[in-house]
Amino acid sequence: MGTKSIFAGTAVATGLLVLSGCFGGDDLIDPPDATIEETAQPIGDVVASIDDVGGSTGAIGARGFEGDEGRAAEKLFARRIGKRNFDWSSLFIANAEATSCALATTFGSCATHALTRAFGGCTVGGYAFSGTVAYNWAHGVASDTCALTSVGDYVTRIPNFSVSGRHGAVLTVSATGVDGQKLTYASGAGSNRVMTLESDGIRRLFTVSGTTLFDFTSETTSAMTVTGTNRGSRVLSGGVLRVTNNSTGVTCDLVPASVAWTTNCNCPTTGSWTGTCSNGVNTSLQHTGCGAAVFTLGSTTVDVSLDRCGL
């Protein structure tokens, strides 16, 4: 069996047949490496989530956040729903049909160590968001502040939202555990603080008219270490990120090494991830720029654009 078929899965093939019937036979295009690329996307979600807590300043523990979910959804829909001579943007609802997320007040105030983004049906680029992304601080955090100030403090990021377009295309991002993603202040002080990153499960499910095109869950089986709070000095290393293809049951365990940020991007621009999958296939990802990476699964190597990266 070739590596390109490892993650394809019956569900994806079925989805393409259904879509072909809707859009006109051979006109549907689903890039041959698209599902392999989805194996890499949870890595982008993890590294972007580390930066989320820093907002526009890039400093962990800062108040305020830059929303990148709209850009991520646009990249995904464009990649997975294609058609010759077909404008993929027609999958999205018109901007006039709902309040723009850019104009709506979607973040609440920091209160009792929590800050929640509630989408409430707003739109970004013509596709509708519903649900929430919740940030919760705990341990010795001072009253009504949303910052990591003392060793042992931690913040969790719990996504539970969906993005809907036309023709029944829906992306659902949800926490499968209690904490979602958890960043803990472990040691050090100032910009030299050391953090640990854990995740008890984030699921990315993409369906069209009820048919699954991909379904992945990511979680850590060993905590990863984040050294340095500011983008210019932040490095991720160690630990294990497990990515599970829920359609096939295959898992891939990846370990980051010298994964480093630069000041003008919410994601790393250098560093690598290496690992093996439960079916014996080796895998790796090399960061090559802001949101750009090269992903290898067995003998297949593809260039990927990580959806949540680009600030």
Side-chain angles (χ1 to χ4, degrees):
M1 179 182 292
T3 55
K4 288 189 178 182
S5 64
I6 292 174
F7 282 86
T10 303
V12 173
T14 302
L16 297 183
L17 291 174
V18 171
L19 288 171
S20 295
C22 294
F23 290 148
D26 294 337
D27 284 340
L28 179 73
I29 300 174
D30 192 60
D33 296 319
T35 307
I36 293 178
E37 181 174 350
E38 301 307 338
T39 313
Q41 291 301 334
I43 295 177
D45 179 68
V46 165
V47 293
S49 295
I50 294 172
D51 195 79
D52 279 352
V53 187
S56 59
T57 67
I60 291 174
R63 296 178 64 175
F65 301 87
E66 294 287 348
D68 58 358
E69 304 295 356
R71 178 184 60 243
E74 182 177 6
K75 289 180 181 179
L76 168 62
F77 278 68
R79 179 172 67 251
R80 294 311 301 262
I81 305 295
K83 182 177 182 289
R84 295 185 184 95
N85 301 316
F86 177 74
D87 179 9
W88 59 263
S89 64
S90 68
L91 289 167
F92 308 141
I93 67 172
N95 280 333
E97 294 180 24
T99 303
S100 170
C101 292
L103 299 177
T105 302
T106 54
F107 274 111
S109 300
C110 176
T112 318
H113 324 309
L115 184 61
T116 301
R117 180 165 192 172
F119 294 107
C122 65
T123 63
V124 176
Y127 35 95
F129 280 70
S130 61
T132 62
V133 179
Y135 297 82
N136 298 288
W137 283 258
H139 189 252
V141 176
S143 177
D144 294 334
T145 64
C146 291
L148 303 179
T149 58
S150 303
V151 171
D153 289 354
Y154 63 87
V155 56
T156 61
R157 175 183 179 270
I158 306 173
N160 279 295
F161 67 89
S162 62
V163 189
S164 301
R166 290 176 175 162
H167 301 289
V170 179
L171 167 67
T172 302
V173 181
S174 59
T176 61
V178 175
D179 293 328
Q181 292 150 329
K182 180 180 179 181
L183 191 69
T184 302
Y185 181 179
S187 63
S191 61
N192 295 318
R193 285 179 291 178
V194 176
M195 312 283 178
T196 59
L197 178 68
E198 302 168 273
S199 174
D200 58 4
I202 301 294
R203 183 184 183 191
R204 298 175 72 248
L205 170 65
F206 189 65
T207 62
V208 177
S209 298
T211 298
T212 298
L213 265 66
F214 70 76
D215 184 358
F216 284 86
T217 297
S218 63
E219 61 186 328
T220 57
T221 59
S222 177
M224 296 182 282
T225 300
V226 182
T227 303
T229 59
N230 297 320
R231 286 179 179 174
S233 62
R234 186 187 301 152
V235 178
L236 174 70
S237 60
V240 178
L241 178 69
R242 173 167 292 175
V243 178
T244 301
N245 184 330
N246 296 317
S247 297
T248 64
V250 174
T251 63
C252 292
D253 290 345
L254 295 118
V255 178
S258 302
V259 172
W261 280 249
T262 53
T263 56
N264 61 350
C265 187
N266 68 324
C267 289
T269 56
T270 60
S272 62
W273 302 67
T274 57
T276 58
C277 301
S278 60
N279 54 9
V281 171
N282 292 328
T283 186
S284 66
L285 181 139
Q286 179 72 44
H287 293 281
T288 58
C290 184
V294 176
F295 182 65
T296 299
L297 184 66
S299 61
T300 301
T301 297
V302 295
D303 293 326
V304 298
S305 175
L306 299 174
D307 291 344
R308 292 193 60 215
C309 301
L311 294 178

